[in-house]
Amino acid sequence: AGAAGTASTVAAVAGQQQAANGMPAARATRPTGMGGLAPGESGDLFAESPAAADGASDGMVVDGADAASVAPDSLQVDTVTDWPLFEVWLARVQAAELTALDTETTSLIEMQAEVVGISLCVQAGQAAYIPLAHNYPDAPLQLPRDEVLARLKPWLENPAARKLGERHLGRSGTTYEELCGKGAHQIPFAQVDVAKAAAYAAEDADQTLAVHNMLWPRLQADSDLRFIYELEVASSEALYRVERNGVLIDAPTLAAQ
């Protein structure tokens, strides 16, 4: 995505914005590792999904033909700008075994970013985009961001609700620069037309789900790859905590070593 595209971004930003409004800060969700991470984390990129068994390739390298086999003929996108449709999609993600999640924000730096919109996908070819802070002239009315984040917070923080937040596949889509422009002429994502933003963000979520369905069988079948994945997730969790909380150096102990 054009900005941080993980559940951790949504939860972290939600926590900042809700704390400013006197609400308890949300704990950022991180991928669940199979290498012994503490319970309560969510979002395993390669968590098994029933859809993975249907038509998924066992190859790690994805060529054009394989990519086409998982690309839907058309992507149906719901642009969520009213509460009834929001509740429909909230029920869908709550009931889904696995949800692809992508965010569009004002910055690539998670702790500075503000959410502009959120996309969700629970099955190939069907996704939703929730615009929250598009502010160009004549932008359509959008749901209040703080309330949307508050309603999503229980699902985001639920360790049993598995989420995906990465993408890598041989399917080409609209690039951020194609959408927002380049250099001095580039506009913030908040100024992108909601209809175009919806297509872009929903495509990201749809491709994220396709990534999982394509790569999971290969990882499951290769113990070496599985080991590397477990190690990477465990290391990422440690680095995340260091970046989020900082480090206190025990100078005497360090000097003694």
Side-chain angles (χ1 to χ4, degrees), residues 25-40:
R27 185 178 185 278
T29 56
R30 300 293 294 177
T32 301
M34 291 163 286
L37 296 183

Side-chain angles (χ1 to χ4, degrees), residues 34 44 46 57-61 214-233:
M34 291 163 286
D44 188 353
F46 295 105
S57 168
D58 61 356
M60 183 61 73
V61 178
M214 177 68 72
L215 299 184
W216 166 252
R218 179 69 178 91
L219 183 65
Q220 187 180 42
D222 191 321
S223 60
D224 290 337
L225 287 177
R226 183 84 174 197
F227 171 77
I228 293 171
Y229 168 67
E230 292 174 3
L231 178 62
E232 182 177 355
V233 169

Side-chain angles (χ1 to χ4, degrees), residues 40-64:
E41 305 294 328
S42 63
D44 188 353
L45 174 60
F46 295 105
E48 187 168 8
S49 165
D54 297 328
S57 168
D58 61 356
M60 183 61 73
V61 178
V62 182
D63 60 25

Side-chain angles (χ1 to χ4, degrees), residues 234-253:
S235 301
S236 297
E237 175 65 19
L239 290 173
Y240 158 73
R241 290 176 177 170
V242 168
E243 292 172 354
R244 187 71 185 270
N245 301 310
V247 178
L248 177 64
I249 302 298
D250 185 336
T253 300

